[in-house]
Amino acid sequence: MKALCWHGKGDIRCDEVPDPKIEDGRDVIIKMTACAICGSDIHLMDGYIPFMKKGDILGHEFMGEVVEVGRDNKKLKVGDRVVVPFTICCGECQQCLRGNWSVCERTNRNADNATKAFGYPTAGLFGYSHLTGAYAGGQAEYVRVPYADVSPIVIPNGMSDEQALFLGDIFPTGWMAAANCEIEPTDIVAIWGCGPVGQFCIKSALMQGAARVIAIDNVPERLALARSAGAEIINFDEIDGTVPDHIKEMTGGHGADKCIDAVGAESHATASFDAIIDKVKAATLLGTDRPHVLRTAIMACRPGGIVSVPGVYGGFLDKIPFGAAMNKGLTIRTGQTHVNRYALDLLRRIEEGEIDPTFIITHRAKLNDGPALYETFRDKKDNCIKVVLTA
Ligand SMILES: NC(=O)c1ccc[n+]([C@@H]2O[C@H](COP(=O)([O-])OP(=O)(O)OC[C@H]3O[C@@H](n4cnc5c(N)ncnc54)[C@H](O)[C@@H]3O)[C@@H](O)[C@H]2O)c1
Ligand SMILES: [Zn+2]
Ligand SMILES: [Zn+2]
């Protein structure tokens, strides 16, 4: 079968690889009908997440039709259409029982690596390195789904693939980022990053009742989409002074009650001192993450506020103004998304027409075109916001 594989930094290829097989009674095999490229995939492409190996199959946003079912799987049957959450969950451990799906205690087959990096293992993830279980990803014609009697979401007939696909990652990710802000009706929510995750943060914050949303980026078409969703916008390349100062000005000195970092490890900034240090450190292999946005969000948040971080970071972060966080009494919440906590509620909202997640798709293509579209998406060429691939 065809699959998009990682071959090194900046080197993604569409390879011919063996078809997956059932390995455990709870597995299913799906025939992929739609998959997407995520900002998290770009961190892998750019070498920000260690533990990738040549030939690893990428992709954690995917859906398809069940074509084979393991003998112990009583949940799914051949022909079911499912969206597969990016987090692999056993459904039985203490964390799964608490609904902390992305930190399932059992599904990471490289628990030792994760324990060394993080102190404890986190869940297995599809297509996301040998730190999170080394599971083959979903940017492939066929995918083995382990523990498939737990997290796959069965999609009702009548809902299109494109409407359902983002239930496996970025829609619940935006939703959880907003839910972590405990939004109150008077809240002003500032959101850094107007990529796919940022866009779902904006929609979710407004759906959860925020009074105002201020969205920050420097990519014109992404800012335009944010504005059409109801956000006020800041193009950080076009303002005098800093983003926190600008937010203060826009809010009559009040500041942002809640701040969301939907950028993560690869934030860019033009002239700030900290961003230059991050770049030098990344270039000389002295550091990896570039947490400019996290620093800014902490500084911009008003005392007693909440900073919510869906943006992915990989390692040790330098020069985080923790004194500001501590003295202002901020709450910081973060995490890989607990997809199954939100998926059925969000599925219902799509069915009832409260939101149509297809608003974000700008590029549709075939798996073969995947390597070129990874570059288009990373470099934000051709007005690209979200790529959906079919087999
Ligand atoms: N927590 C989770 O479970 C989860 C799930 C999916 C994605 N993510 C993460 O969310 C982040 C965003 O993903 P995406 O798909 O939207 O990626 P993306 O790369 O398309 O979007 C990031 C956006 O941030 C903007 N940006 C960069 N520097 C900025 C700055 N200084 N200020 C404001 N904006 C800035 C970029 O221009 C871009 O539009 C990534 O880190 C991704 O790994 C997390
Ligand atoms: Zn993702
Ligand atoms: Zn579990």
Side-chain angles (χ1 to χ4, degrees), residues 37-43 60-61 86 128 169-170 173 176 191-199 216-219 222 236 243 261-269 292-293 309-313 335-338 377-378 380 385-386:
I37 304 176
C38 178
S40 302
D41 294 323
I42 300 305
H43 300 323
H60 60 271
E61 295 183 4
F86 74 99
Y128 219 71
D169 182 355
I170 54 174
T173 294
M176 177 165 122
I191 298 173
W192 279 258
C194 297
V197 169
Q199 300 291 343
I216 304 127
D217 205 307
N218 70 340
V219 181
R222 293 180 175 211
F236 65 80
V243 170
D261 169 359
V263 178
E266 296 185 65
S267 65
H268 40 246
H292 172 69
V293 163
V309 187
V312 164
Y313 292 94
Q336 299 282 0
T337 303
H338 304 302
F377 175 59
R378 179 194 59 192
K380 301 168 187 71
I385 299 180
K386 191 73 178 177

Side-chain angles (χ1 to χ4, degrees), residues 146-227:
Y147 301 93
D149 51 353
V150 181
S151 56
I153 307 150
V154 179
I155 300 306
N157 287 332
M159 185 177 288
S160 71
D161 279 10
E162 290 189 352
Q163 280 180 308
L165 177 61
F166 305 130
L167 282 171
D169 182 355
I170 54 174
F171 185 14
T173 294
W175 191 265
M176 177 165 122
N180 276 344
C181 288
E182 294 176 8
I183 291 172
E184 293 171 36
T186 54
D187 274 351
I188 301 170
V189 182
I191 298 173
W192 279 258
C194 297
V197 169
Q199 300 291 343
F200 278 107
C201 290
I202 294 166
K203 291 263 189 201
S204 301
L206 290 168
M207 285 163 79
Q208 292 174 32
R212 291 172 66 188
V213 168
I214 299 175
I216 304 127
D217 205 307
N218 70 340
V219 181
E221 62 275 11
R222 293 180 175 211
L223 286 166
L225 188 61
R227 178 180 270 154

Side-chain angles (χ1 to χ4, degrees), residues 44-332:
L44 299 177
M45 182 189 196
D46 290 346
Y48 277 74
I49 309 287
F51 301 107
M52 287 298 285
K53 292 189 183 160
K54 272 184 194 299
D56 283 349
I57 299 176
L58 293 162
H60 60 271
E61 295 183 4
F62 61 101
M63 63 181 298
E65 188 185 320
V66 175
V67 290
E68 213 185 322
V69 181
R71 63 179 184 287
D72 302 322
N73 190 315
K74 307 284 179 253
K75 173 173 166 174
L76 298 177
K77 55 183 192 310
V78 169
D80 282 345
R81 288 171 65 223
V82 291
V83 172
V84 182
F86 74 99
T87 45
I88 302 171
C89 314
C90 77
E92 292 153 354
C93 73
Q94 286 299 316
Q95 295 289 11
C96 282
L97 292 176
R98 287 194 186 107
N100 295 335
W101 302 100
S102 74
V103 290
C104 169
E105 295 168 336
R106 291 197 192 148
T107 53
N108 189 339
R109 298 183 295 190
N110 305 111
D112 285 354
N113 283 347
T115 303
K116 275 188 202 122
F118 304 140
Y120 290 88
T122 54
L125 306 180
F126 287 97
Y128 219 71
S129 91
H130 295 254
L131 191 60
T132 57
Y135 289 99
Q139 289 163 359
E141 285 179 282
Y142 293 90
V143 194
R144 173 190 164 232
V145 181
Y147 301 93
D149 51 353
V150 181
S151 56
I153 307 150
V154 179
I155 300 306
N157 287 332
M159 185 177 288
S160 71
D161 279 10
E162 290 189 352
Q163 280 180 308
L165 177 61
F166 305 130
L167 282 171
D169 182 355
I170 54 174
F171 185 14
T173 294
W175 191 265
M176 177 165 122
N180 276 344
C181 288
E182 294 176 8
I183 291 172
E184 293 171 36
T186 54
D187 274 351
I188 301 170
V189 182
I191 298 173
W192 279 258
C194 297
V197 169
Q199 300 291 343
F200 278 107
C201 290
I202 294 166
K203 291 263 189 201
S204 301
L206 290 168
M207 285 163 79
Q208 292 174 32
R212 291 172 66 188
V213 168
I214 299 175
I216 304 127
D217 205 307
N218 70 340
V219 181
E221 62 275 11
R222 293 180 175 211
L223 286 166
L225 188 61
R227 178 180 270 154
S228 72
E232 299 159 59
I233 57 171
I234 298 177
N235 183 330
F236 65 80
D237 277 342
E238 289 178 358
I239 53 169
D240 295 325
T242 65
V243 170
D245 283 348
H246 204 72
I247 293 174
K248 225 180 236 178
E249 217 175 280
M250 288 169 78
T251 58
H254 177 84
D257 301 286
K258 312 285 160 69
C259 292
I260 299 180
D261 169 359
V263 178
E266 296 185 65
S267 65
H268 40 246
T270 32
S272 76
F273 182 66
D274 66 312
I276 293 166
I277 294 181
D278 288 340
K279 251 192 198 150
V280 171
K281 288 177 71 173
T284 52
L285 303 177
L286 287 172
T288 51
D289 304 83
R290 303 196 309 251
H292 172 69
V293 163
L294 181 57
R295 296 180 190 120
T296 311
I298 291 173
M299 294 308 288
C301 196
R302 65 122 169 107
I306 297 178
V307 175
S308 163
V309 187
V312 164
Y313 292 94
F316 294 90
L317 274 56
D318 197 12
K319 305 204 167 41
I320 299 300
F322 203 76
M326 188 275 159
N327 285 288
K328 289 195 287 182
L330 301 186
T331 300
I332 299 180

